[in-house]
Structure formats: C-alpha cells, structure tokens
Short mmCIF file of all heavy atoms in Angstrom, two decimals:
data_model
loop_
_atom_site.label_atom_id
_atom_site.label_comp_id
_atom_site.label_asym_id
_atom_site.label_seq_id
_atom_site.Cartn_x
_atom_site.Cartn_y
_atom_site.Cartn_z
N MET A 1 98.99 -140.01 -18.23
CA MET A 1 98.03 -140.30 -17.19
C MET A 1 97.71 -139.03 -16.39
O MET A 1 98.60 -138.24 -16.11
CB MET A 1 98.63 -141.32 -16.24
CG MET A 1 97.80 -142.52 -16.05
SD MET A 1 98.70 -143.67 -15.00
CE MET A 1 97.35 -144.61 -14.47
N LYS A 2 96.46 -138.87 -16.04
CA LYS A 2 96.04 -137.69 -15.29
C LYS A 2 96.47 -137.82 -13.83
O LYS A 2 96.31 -138.87 -13.21
CB LYS A 2 94.53 -137.55 -15.37
CG LYS A 2 94.03 -136.31 -14.70
CD LYS A 2 92.54 -136.14 -14.88
CE LYS A 2 92.08 -134.89 -14.19
NZ LYS A 2 90.66 -134.70 -14.30
N ILE A 3 97.02 -136.76 -13.29
CA ILE A 3 97.40 -136.74 -11.88
C ILE A 3 96.22 -136.20 -11.08
O ILE A 3 95.66 -135.16 -11.41
CB ILE A 3 98.64 -135.86 -11.66
CG1 ILE A 3 99.83 -136.46 -12.38
CG2 ILE A 3 98.91 -135.69 -10.18
CD1 ILE A 3 101.09 -135.63 -12.31
N HIS A 4 95.85 -136.93 -10.04
CA HIS A 4 94.76 -136.51 -9.18
C HIS A 4 95.32 -135.85 -7.93
O HIS A 4 96.35 -136.26 -7.41
CB HIS A 4 93.91 -137.73 -8.77
CG HIS A 4 93.23 -138.37 -9.92
ND1 HIS A 4 93.65 -139.55 -10.46
CD2 HIS A 4 92.16 -137.98 -10.64
CE1 HIS A 4 92.87 -139.88 -11.46
NE2 HIS A 4 91.96 -138.94 -11.60
N ASP A 5 94.62 -134.85 -7.46
CA ASP A 5 94.98 -134.17 -6.22
C ASP A 5 94.00 -134.59 -5.13
O ASP A 5 92.79 -134.48 -5.31
CB ASP A 5 94.92 -132.66 -6.39
CG ASP A 5 95.93 -132.15 -7.39
OD1 ASP A 5 97.07 -132.61 -7.37
OD2 ASP A 5 95.55 -131.29 -8.20
N TYR A 6 94.54 -135.07 -4.03
CA TYR A 6 93.72 -135.49 -2.90
C TYR A 6 94.07 -134.62 -1.71
O TYR A 6 95.23 -134.28 -1.50
CB TYR A 6 93.98 -136.95 -2.54
CG TYR A 6 93.61 -137.92 -3.62
CD1 TYR A 6 94.53 -138.30 -4.58
CD2 TYR A 6 92.33 -138.44 -3.69
CE1 TYR A 6 94.19 -139.20 -5.58
CE2 TYR A 6 91.97 -139.34 -4.68
CZ TYR A 6 92.91 -139.71 -5.63
OH TYR A 6 92.58 -140.60 -6.62
N ILE A 7 93.05 -134.29 -0.92
CA ILE A 7 93.26 -133.51 0.29
C ILE A 7 92.61 -134.26 1.45
O ILE A 7 91.44 -134.62 1.39
CB ILE A 7 92.65 -132.10 0.16
CG1 ILE A 7 93.31 -131.36 -1.00
CG2 ILE A 7 92.79 -131.33 1.47
CD1 ILE A 7 92.66 -130.06 -1.36
N ILE A 8 93.42 -134.51 2.46
CA ILE A 8 92.95 -135.22 3.66
C ILE A 8 92.90 -134.21 4.80
O ILE A 8 93.87 -133.50 5.05
CB ILE A 8 93.90 -136.37 4.02
CG1 ILE A 8 94.02 -137.36 2.87
CG2 ILE A 8 93.44 -137.06 5.31
CD1 ILE A 8 95.15 -138.36 3.02
N VAL A 9 91.76 -134.16 5.48
CA VAL A 9 91.60 -133.27 6.63
C VAL A 9 91.09 -134.11 7.79
O VAL A 9 89.97 -134.60 7.76
CB VAL A 9 90.61 -132.12 6.35
CG1 VAL A 9 90.55 -131.18 7.54
CG2 VAL A 9 90.98 -131.37 5.08
N ASP A 10 91.93 -134.29 8.78
CA ASP A 10 91.56 -135.08 9.95
C ASP A 10 92.52 -134.72 11.07
O ASP A 10 93.70 -134.48 10.83
CB ASP A 10 91.66 -136.58 9.64
CG ASP A 10 90.95 -137.44 10.66
OD1 ASP A 10 91.00 -137.12 11.87
OD2 ASP A 10 90.34 -138.44 10.27
N ASP A 11 92.02 -134.69 12.30
CA ASP A 11 92.89 -134.33 13.42
C ASP A 11 93.67 -135.52 13.97
O ASP A 11 94.47 -135.37 14.88
CB ASP A 11 92.08 -133.68 14.54
CG ASP A 11 91.03 -134.59 15.14
OD1 ASP A 11 90.79 -135.68 14.58
OD2 ASP A 11 90.44 -134.20 16.16
N ASP A 12 93.48 -136.70 13.37
CA ASP A 12 94.18 -137.90 13.82
C ASP A 12 95.35 -138.20 12.88
O ASP A 12 95.14 -138.60 11.74
CB ASP A 12 93.21 -139.08 13.85
CG ASP A 12 93.83 -140.37 14.33
OD1 ASP A 12 95.04 -140.38 14.64
OD2 ASP A 12 93.11 -141.38 14.40
N PRO A 13 96.59 -138.01 13.34
CA PRO A 13 97.75 -138.22 12.46
C PRO A 13 97.88 -139.66 11.95
O PRO A 13 98.34 -139.89 10.83
CB PRO A 13 98.95 -137.83 13.31
CG PRO A 13 98.47 -137.71 14.69
CD PRO A 13 96.98 -137.56 14.66
N THR A 14 97.44 -140.62 12.76
CA THR A 14 97.49 -142.03 12.32
C THR A 14 96.54 -142.26 11.16
O THR A 14 96.90 -142.89 10.16
CB THR A 14 97.16 -142.98 13.49
OG1 THR A 14 98.06 -142.71 14.57
CG2 THR A 14 97.28 -144.42 13.07
N ASN A 15 95.34 -141.75 11.28
CA ASN A 15 94.36 -141.88 10.20
C ASN A 15 94.85 -141.17 8.92
O ASN A 15 94.69 -141.69 7.82
CB ASN A 15 93.01 -141.31 10.63
CG ASN A 15 91.92 -141.61 9.63
OD1 ASN A 15 91.77 -142.74 9.19
ND2 ASN A 15 91.18 -140.58 9.28
N ASN A 16 95.46 -140.02 9.10
CA ASN A 16 96.01 -139.29 7.95
C ASN A 16 97.07 -140.12 7.23
O ASN A 16 97.08 -140.18 6.00
CB ASN A 16 96.61 -137.96 8.40
CG ASN A 16 95.56 -136.96 8.79
OD1 ASN A 16 94.39 -137.08 8.42
ND2 ASN A 16 95.95 -135.96 9.54
N LEU A 17 97.95 -140.73 8.00
CA LEU A 17 98.99 -141.55 7.40
C LEU A 17 98.41 -142.74 6.65
O LEU A 17 98.81 -143.03 5.51
CB LEU A 17 99.97 -142.04 8.48
CG LEU A 17 101.09 -142.95 7.99
CD1 LEU A 17 101.98 -142.25 6.97
CD2 LEU A 17 101.90 -143.46 9.16
N ILE A 18 97.46 -143.43 7.26
CA ILE A 18 96.82 -144.58 6.62
C ILE A 18 96.13 -144.15 5.32
O ILE A 18 96.30 -144.80 4.28
CB ILE A 18 95.83 -145.27 7.58
CG1 ILE A 18 96.58 -145.92 8.73
CG2 ILE A 18 94.98 -146.30 6.85
CD1 ILE A 18 95.72 -146.38 9.88
N CYS A 19 95.36 -143.08 5.38
CA CYS A 19 94.68 -142.60 4.18
C CYS A 19 95.67 -142.24 3.08
O CYS A 19 95.49 -142.60 1.92
CB CYS A 19 93.82 -141.38 4.51
SG CYS A 19 92.36 -141.76 5.48
N LYS A 20 96.73 -141.55 3.45
CA LYS A 20 97.73 -141.15 2.47
C LYS A 20 98.39 -142.37 1.83
O LYS A 20 98.55 -142.42 0.60
CB LYS A 20 98.78 -140.26 3.13
CG LYS A 20 99.81 -139.75 2.15
CD LYS A 20 100.78 -138.80 2.81
CE LYS A 20 101.77 -138.36 1.74
NZ LYS A 20 102.77 -137.49 2.20
N LEU A 21 98.75 -143.36 2.64
CA LEU A 21 99.39 -144.56 2.10
C LEU A 21 98.46 -145.34 1.18
O LEU A 21 98.88 -145.84 0.13
CB LEU A 21 99.88 -145.45 3.24
CG LEU A 21 101.04 -144.90 4.06
CD1 LEU A 21 101.33 -145.80 5.26
CD2 LEU A 21 102.28 -144.70 3.21
N VAL A 22 97.18 -145.42 1.54
CA VAL A 22 96.21 -146.13 0.70
C VAL A 22 96.03 -145.40 -0.63
O VAL A 22 96.04 -146.02 -1.70
CB VAL A 22 94.85 -146.30 1.42
CG1 VAL A 22 93.77 -146.77 0.47
CG2 VAL A 22 95.00 -147.26 2.60
N ILE A 23 95.90 -144.09 -0.58
CA ILE A 23 95.75 -143.31 -1.82
C ILE A 23 96.98 -143.50 -2.71
O ILE A 23 96.86 -143.76 -3.90
CB ILE A 23 95.52 -141.82 -1.51
CG1 ILE A 23 94.15 -141.63 -0.88
CG2 ILE A 23 95.66 -140.97 -2.78
CD1 ILE A 23 93.92 -140.25 -0.29
N GLU A 24 98.16 -143.39 -2.12
CA GLU A 24 99.38 -143.52 -2.91
C GLU A 24 99.55 -144.93 -3.48
O GLU A 24 100.10 -145.09 -4.56
CB GLU A 24 100.59 -143.13 -2.06
CG GLU A 24 100.64 -141.63 -1.80
CD GLU A 24 101.72 -141.22 -0.82
OE1 GLU A 24 102.27 -142.10 -0.10
OE2 GLU A 24 102.03 -140.02 -0.77
N LYS A 25 99.07 -145.93 -2.76
CA LYS A 25 99.17 -147.30 -3.26
C LYS A 25 98.28 -147.50 -4.49
O LYS A 25 98.68 -148.16 -5.45
CB LYS A 25 98.78 -148.29 -2.17
CG LYS A 25 98.82 -149.73 -2.64
CD LYS A 25 98.54 -150.71 -1.54
CE LYS A 25 98.51 -152.10 -2.13
NZ LYS A 25 99.47 -152.98 -1.54
N PHE A 26 97.07 -146.98 -4.45
CA PHE A 26 96.12 -147.21 -5.53
C PHE A 26 96.13 -146.14 -6.61
O PHE A 26 95.53 -146.32 -7.67
CB PHE A 26 94.71 -147.40 -4.95
CG PHE A 26 94.58 -148.68 -4.20
CD1 PHE A 26 94.63 -148.69 -2.82
CD2 PHE A 26 94.44 -149.89 -4.86
CE1 PHE A 26 94.54 -149.89 -2.12
CE2 PHE A 26 94.35 -151.08 -4.17
CZ PHE A 26 94.39 -151.09 -2.80
N ASP A 27 96.79 -145.04 -6.37
CA ASP A 27 96.91 -143.98 -7.37
C ASP A 27 98.31 -143.40 -7.26
O ASP A 27 98.54 -142.37 -6.63
CB ASP A 27 95.85 -142.91 -7.14
CG ASP A 27 95.78 -141.89 -8.26
OD1 ASP A 27 96.61 -141.97 -9.19
OD2 ASP A 27 94.90 -141.02 -8.20
N SER A 28 99.25 -144.09 -7.87
CA SER A 28 100.66 -143.72 -7.73
C SER A 28 100.99 -142.36 -8.36
O SER A 28 102.02 -141.78 -8.05
CB SER A 28 101.55 -144.80 -8.33
OG SER A 28 101.26 -144.98 -9.70
N ASN A 29 100.13 -141.85 -9.22
CA ASN A 29 100.35 -140.54 -9.83
C ASN A 29 99.67 -139.42 -9.06
O ASN A 29 99.51 -138.32 -9.58
CB ASN A 29 99.83 -140.54 -11.27
CG ASN A 29 100.67 -141.42 -12.16
OD1 ASN A 29 101.88 -141.48 -12.00
ND2 ASN A 29 100.04 -142.13 -13.07
N SER A 30 99.26 -139.71 -7.85
CA SER A 30 98.49 -138.74 -7.09
C SER A 30 99.38 -137.74 -6.36
O SER A 30 100.56 -137.99 -6.11
CB SER A 30 97.61 -139.45 -6.07
OG SER A 30 98.41 -140.10 -5.10
N SER A 31 98.77 -136.65 -6.01
CA SER A 31 99.37 -135.66 -5.13
C SER A 31 98.48 -135.59 -3.89
O SER A 31 97.28 -135.32 -4.00
CB SER A 31 99.41 -134.30 -5.83
OG SER A 31 99.76 -133.30 -4.91
N VAL A 32 99.05 -135.85 -2.72
CA VAL A 32 98.26 -135.90 -1.48
C VAL A 32 98.71 -134.78 -0.56
O VAL A 32 99.89 -134.66 -0.22
CB VAL A 32 98.42 -137.26 -0.77
CG1 VAL A 32 97.58 -137.30 0.50
CG2 VAL A 32 98.06 -138.41 -1.70
N THR A 33 97.76 -133.96 -0.14
CA THR A 33 98.01 -132.89 0.82
C THR A 33 97.24 -133.23 2.08
O THR A 33 96.06 -133.57 2.01
CB THR A 33 97.55 -131.53 0.25
OG1 THR A 33 98.19 -131.32 -1.01
CG2 THR A 33 97.90 -130.40 1.19
N VAL A 34 97.91 -133.11 3.23
CA VAL A 34 97.31 -133.51 4.51
C VAL A 34 97.25 -132.32 5.45
O VAL A 34 98.22 -131.57 5.59
CB VAL A 34 98.12 -134.66 5.16
CG1 VAL A 34 97.52 -135.07 6.49
CG2 VAL A 34 98.23 -135.85 4.22
N PHE A 35 96.09 -132.17 6.10
CA PHE A 35 95.91 -131.13 7.11
C PHE A 35 95.35 -131.75 8.38
O PHE A 35 94.46 -132.59 8.32
CB PHE A 35 94.93 -130.05 6.63
CG PHE A 35 95.41 -129.28 5.45
CD1 PHE A 35 94.98 -129.62 4.18
CD2 PHE A 35 96.29 -128.23 5.60
CE1 PHE A 35 95.40 -128.91 3.07
CE2 PHE A 35 96.73 -127.52 4.50
CZ PHE A 35 96.29 -127.86 3.23
N GLN A 36 95.87 -131.32 9.53
CA GLN A 36 95.32 -131.75 10.81
C GLN A 36 94.42 -130.67 11.41
O GLN A 36 93.63 -130.97 12.30
CB GLN A 36 96.44 -132.08 11.79
CG GLN A 36 97.07 -133.43 11.51
CD GLN A 36 98.07 -133.81 12.56
OE1 GLN A 36 99.26 -133.60 12.38
NE2 GLN A 36 97.59 -134.35 13.65
N GLN A 37 94.52 -129.47 10.91
CA GLN A 37 93.70 -128.36 11.39
C GLN A 37 92.73 -127.96 10.29
O GLN A 37 93.15 -127.58 9.20
CB GLN A 37 94.58 -127.17 11.77
CG GLN A 37 95.61 -127.47 12.83
CD GLN A 37 94.98 -127.84 14.15
OE1 GLN A 37 93.95 -127.28 14.54
NE2 GLN A 37 95.57 -128.79 14.85
N PRO A 38 91.42 -127.98 10.56
CA PRO A 38 90.45 -127.63 9.53
C PRO A 38 90.60 -126.19 9.03
O PRO A 38 90.36 -125.92 7.85
CB PRO A 38 89.09 -127.85 10.19
CG PRO A 38 89.36 -128.05 11.63
CD PRO A 38 90.79 -128.39 11.80
N GLU A 39 91.04 -125.30 9.90
CA GLU A 39 91.22 -123.91 9.49
C GLU A 39 92.29 -123.79 8.40
O GLU A 39 92.16 -123.01 7.47
CB GLU A 39 91.60 -123.03 10.69
CG GLU A 39 90.52 -122.92 11.73
CD GLU A 39 90.53 -124.07 12.74
OE1 GLU A 39 91.42 -124.96 12.68
OE2 GLU A 39 89.64 -124.09 13.60
N GLN A 40 93.36 -124.59 8.53
CA GLN A 40 94.42 -124.57 7.53
C GLN A 40 93.89 -125.12 6.20
O GLN A 40 94.24 -124.60 5.13
CB GLN A 40 95.61 -125.39 7.99
CG GLN A 40 96.36 -124.78 9.15
CD GLN A 40 97.45 -125.69 9.67
OE1 GLN A 40 97.42 -126.90 9.50
NE2 GLN A 40 98.43 -125.10 10.33
N ALA A 41 93.07 -126.14 6.28
CA ALA A 41 92.49 -126.73 5.06
C ALA A 41 91.58 -125.71 4.37
O ALA A 41 91.62 -125.57 3.14
CB ALA A 41 91.72 -128.00 5.39
N LEU A 42 90.77 -125.00 5.13
CA LEU A 42 89.89 -123.99 4.55
C LEU A 42 90.70 -122.87 3.88
O LEU A 42 90.34 -122.42 2.79
CB LEU A 42 88.96 -123.41 5.61
CG LEU A 42 87.84 -124.34 6.06
CD1 LEU A 42 87.08 -123.73 7.23
CD2 LEU A 42 86.90 -124.66 4.92
N SER A 43 91.76 -122.45 4.52
CA SER A 43 92.62 -121.43 3.91
C SER A 43 93.23 -121.95 2.62
O SER A 43 93.32 -121.21 1.63
CB SER A 43 93.75 -121.05 4.88
OG SER A 43 93.23 -120.39 5.99
N TYR A 44 93.61 -123.21 2.62
CA TYR A 44 94.17 -123.83 1.41
C TYR A 44 93.13 -123.86 0.29
O TYR A 44 93.43 -123.52 -0.85
CB TYR A 44 94.67 -125.23 1.74
CG TYR A 44 95.27 -125.96 0.57
CD1 TYR A 44 96.55 -125.66 0.13
CD2 TYR A 44 94.57 -126.96 -0.09
CE1 TYR A 44 97.12 -126.33 -0.94
CE2 TYR A 44 95.12 -127.64 -1.16
CZ TYR A 44 96.40 -127.32 -1.58
OH TYR A 44 96.94 -127.99 -2.65
N PHE A 45 91.89 -124.26 0.63
CA PHE A 45 90.81 -124.28 -0.36
C PHE A 45 90.58 -122.87 -0.91
O PHE A 45 90.38 -122.70 -2.12
CB PHE A 45 89.51 -124.81 0.24
CG PHE A 45 89.44 -126.29 0.34
CD1 PHE A 45 89.18 -126.88 1.56
CD2 PHE A 45 89.62 -127.11 -0.76
CE1 PHE A 45 89.11 -128.26 1.67
CE2 PHE A 45 89.55 -128.48 -0.67
CZ PHE A 45 89.29 -129.07 0.56
N GLN A 46 90.57 -121.88 -0.05
CA GLN A 46 90.36 -120.51 -0.50
C GLN A 46 91.45 -120.07 -1.46
O GLN A 46 91.18 -119.43 -2.47
CB GLN A 46 90.28 -119.56 0.69
CG GLN A 46 89.01 -119.72 1.49
CD GLN A 46 89.01 -118.89 2.76
OE1 GLN A 46 90.07 -118.52 3.27
NE2 GLN A 46 87.83 -118.63 3.28
N SER A 47 92.69 -120.43 -1.16
CA SER A 47 93.79 -120.05 -2.05
C SER A 47 93.68 -120.79 -3.38
O SER A 47 93.99 -120.23 -4.43
CB SER A 47 95.14 -120.31 -1.39
OG SER A 47 95.40 -121.69 -1.27
N LEU A 48 93.22 -122.05 -3.35
CA LEU A 48 93.03 -122.79 -4.59
C LEU A 48 91.97 -122.14 -5.47
O LEU A 48 92.16 -122.00 -6.68
CB LEU A 48 92.60 -124.23 -4.30
CG LEU A 48 93.65 -125.23 -3.90
CD1 LEU A 48 93.00 -126.59 -3.64
CD2 LEU A 48 94.71 -125.37 -4.96
N VAL A 49 90.88 -121.76 -4.86
CA VAL A 49 89.78 -121.15 -5.61
C VAL A 49 90.24 -119.84 -6.24
O VAL A 49 89.94 -119.57 -7.40
CB VAL A 49 88.55 -120.94 -4.70
CG1 VAL A 49 87.50 -120.10 -5.39
CG2 VAL A 49 87.98 -122.29 -4.29
N LYS A 50 90.99 -119.06 -5.50
CA LYS A 50 91.47 -117.79 -6.04
C LYS A 50 92.45 -118.02 -7.18
O LYS A 50 92.38 -117.34 -8.20
CB LYS A 50 92.13 -116.97 -4.94
CG LYS A 50 91.15 -116.39 -3.95
CD LYS A 50 91.85 -115.62 -2.86
CE LYS A 50 90.86 -115.13 -1.83
NZ LYS A 50 91.52 -114.47 -0.70
N LYS A 51 93.38 -118.96 -7.00
CA LYS A 51 94.41 -119.19 -8.01
C LYS A 51 93.89 -119.96 -9.21
O LYS A 51 94.33 -119.76 -10.33
CB LYS A 51 95.57 -119.98 -7.40
CG LYS A 51 96.40 -119.22 -6.41
CD LYS A 51 97.50 -120.11 -5.85
CE LYS A 51 98.26 -119.42 -4.76
NZ LYS A 51 99.26 -120.29 -4.15
N GLU A 52 92.99 -120.87 -8.97
CA GLU A 52 92.57 -121.81 -10.01
C GLU A 52 91.10 -121.65 -10.38
O GLU A 52 90.40 -122.62 -10.63
CB GLU A 52 92.81 -123.25 -9.54
CG GLU A 52 94.19 -123.52 -9.03
CD GLU A 52 95.19 -123.76 -10.15
OE1 GLU A 52 94.75 -124.18 -11.24
OE2 GLU A 52 96.36 -123.53 -9.94
N ALA A 53 90.62 -120.43 -10.42
CA ALA A 53 89.21 -120.19 -10.68
C ALA A 53 88.75 -120.79 -12.00
O ALA A 53 87.57 -121.13 -12.15
CB ALA A 53 88.93 -118.69 -10.65
N GLN A 54 89.66 -120.96 -12.91
CA GLN A 54 89.30 -121.49 -14.21
C GLN A 54 89.21 -123.02 -14.23
O GLN A 54 88.59 -123.59 -15.12
CB GLN A 54 90.34 -121.05 -15.26
CG GLN A 54 90.51 -119.57 -15.36
CD GLN A 54 89.23 -118.87 -15.77
OE1 GLN A 54 88.41 -119.43 -16.48
NE2 GLN A 54 89.06 -117.65 -15.32
N LYS A 55 89.84 -123.68 -13.26
CA LYS A 55 89.85 -125.14 -13.25
C LYS A 55 88.58 -125.70 -12.62
O LYS A 55 87.96 -125.07 -11.76
CB LYS A 55 91.04 -125.67 -12.44
CG LYS A 55 92.32 -125.71 -13.20
CD LYS A 55 93.34 -126.45 -12.38
CE LYS A 55 94.61 -126.67 -13.14
NZ LYS A 55 95.60 -127.38 -12.35
N LYS A 56 88.24 -126.89 -13.03
CA LYS A 56 87.11 -127.59 -12.42
C LYS A 56 87.63 -128.32 -11.18
O LYS A 56 88.53 -129.15 -11.27
CB LYS A 56 86.53 -128.59 -13.41
CG LYS A 56 85.36 -129.37 -12.87
CD LYS A 56 84.85 -130.34 -13.89
CE LYS A 56 83.74 -131.18 -13.29
NZ LYS A 56 83.30 -132.21 -14.21
N LEU A 57 87.06 -128.01 -10.02
CA LEU A 57 87.47 -128.64 -8.77
C LEU A 57 86.41 -129.62 -8.31
O LEU A 57 85.22 -129.34 -8.39
CB LEU A 57 87.69 -127.60 -7.66
CG LEU A 57 88.77 -126.55 -7.93
CD1 LEU A 57 88.79 -125.53 -6.81
CD2 LEU A 57 90.13 -127.22 -8.05
N SER A 58 86.82 -130.77 -7.85
CA SER A 58 85.91 -131.77 -7.29
C SER A 58 86.23 -131.97 -5.82
O SER A 58 87.40 -132.07 -5.45
CB SER A 58 86.07 -133.10 -8.02
OG SER A 58 85.75 -132.96 -9.38
N TYR A 59 85.21 -132.03 -5.02
CA TYR A 59 85.38 -132.22 -3.59
C TYR A 59 84.67 -133.49 -3.15
O TYR A 59 83.56 -133.78 -3.58
CB TYR A 59 84.80 -131.04 -2.80
CG TYR A 59 85.46 -129.73 -3.16
CD1 TYR A 59 84.82 -128.83 -3.98
CD2 TYR A 59 86.72 -129.42 -2.69
CE1 TYR A 59 85.41 -127.63 -4.33
CE2 TYR A 59 87.32 -128.22 -3.03
CZ TYR A 59 86.67 -127.34 -3.84
OH TYR A 59 87.25 -126.16 -4.18
N PHE A 60 85.31 -134.24 -2.27
CA PHE A 60 84.73 -135.45 -1.71
C PHE A 60 84.80 -135.31 -0.19
O PHE A 60 85.87 -135.22 0.38
CB PHE A 60 85.53 -136.69 -2.16
CG PHE A 60 85.04 -137.96 -1.56
CD1 PHE A 60 83.82 -138.47 -1.94
CD2 PHE A 60 85.81 -138.63 -0.63
CE1 PHE A 60 83.38 -139.65 -1.39
CE2 PHE A 60 85.37 -139.81 -0.07
CZ PHE A 60 84.14 -140.32 -0.46
N TRP A 61 83.66 -135.25 0.44
CA TRP A 61 83.59 -135.07 1.90
C TRP A 61 83.14 -136.37 2.54
O TRP A 61 82.24 -137.03 2.08
CB TRP A 61 82.60 -133.97 2.25
CG TRP A 61 82.94 -132.66 1.63
CD1 TRP A 61 82.45 -132.16 0.46
CD2 TRP A 61 83.86 -131.70 2.12
NE1 TRP A 61 83.01 -130.95 0.20
CE2 TRP A 61 83.88 -130.64 1.20
CE3 TRP A 61 84.68 -131.63 3.23
CZ2 TRP A 61 84.68 -129.51 1.37
CZ3 TRP A 61 85.46 -130.51 3.39
CH2 TRP A 61 85.46 -129.47 2.48
N MET A 62 83.80 -136.72 3.64
CA MET A 62 83.40 -137.93 4.39
C MET A 62 83.07 -137.53 5.82
O MET A 62 83.60 -136.67 6.39
CB MET A 62 84.55 -138.94 4.45
CG MET A 62 84.79 -139.55 3.12
SD MET A 62 86.02 -140.87 3.00
CE MET A 62 86.52 -141.27 4.60
#
C-alpha cells in the first residue's frame, strides 16, 4: 500500500489535532506532519523540494 504524506499548517492546536486524528483514522498508512507556524512549514517545503526534486509532490491548500 502506498504511504501518503500529509502536512497540516494551522495556528490552532485543537484544529491540528482533529485534522491529524481524522487523517490517521481514514488513512492508517499515512505520515502526518503538523506546523503551527507558517514560516516553519515554508522552510519544510523548501527542504523537501531541494531533497526530493525528482519526486512528484502534490499540494492541497484549504
């Protein structure tokens, strides 16, 4: 089974927890990374792009 990577960016820790639990419930093979600071998330995205330039990345913005 393919493992999906999810990234949650929100300044509300309660919302982050709910989102993470829902994702883990419906996609048990998932990897969930949570950020409360958008700057940290952007740095993470930049590091992903540099390290994984060969991989196809999908982004879902809400």
Side-chain angles (χ1 to χ4, degrees):
M1 235 176 159
K2 184 176 180 182
I3 296 176
H4 295 105
D5 296 317
Y6 297 91
I7 300 171
I8 301 168
V9 183
D10 195 322
D11 63 350
D12 181 359
T14 304
N15 189 48
N16 288 341
L17 178 61
I18 292 168
C19 288
K20 183 176 180 181
L21 292 174
V22 169
I23 291 169
E24 289 173 344
K25 178 175 176 121
F26 291 101
D27 189 356
S28 60
N29 292 323
S30 66
S31 169
V32 181
T33 305
V34 179
F35 296 98
Q36 283 186 264
Q37 301 296 323
E39 295 85 2
Q40 291 174 337
L42 287 173
S43 293
Y44 180 77
F45 281 125
Q46 289 173 338
S47 70
L48 280 179
V49 170
K50 287 178 184 176
K51 290 179 186 176
E52 308 280 335
Q54 303 299 329
K55 278 189 173 180
K56 180 181 176 185
L57 299 176
S58 299
Y59 300 103
F60 177 70
W61 301 95
M62 290 185 7

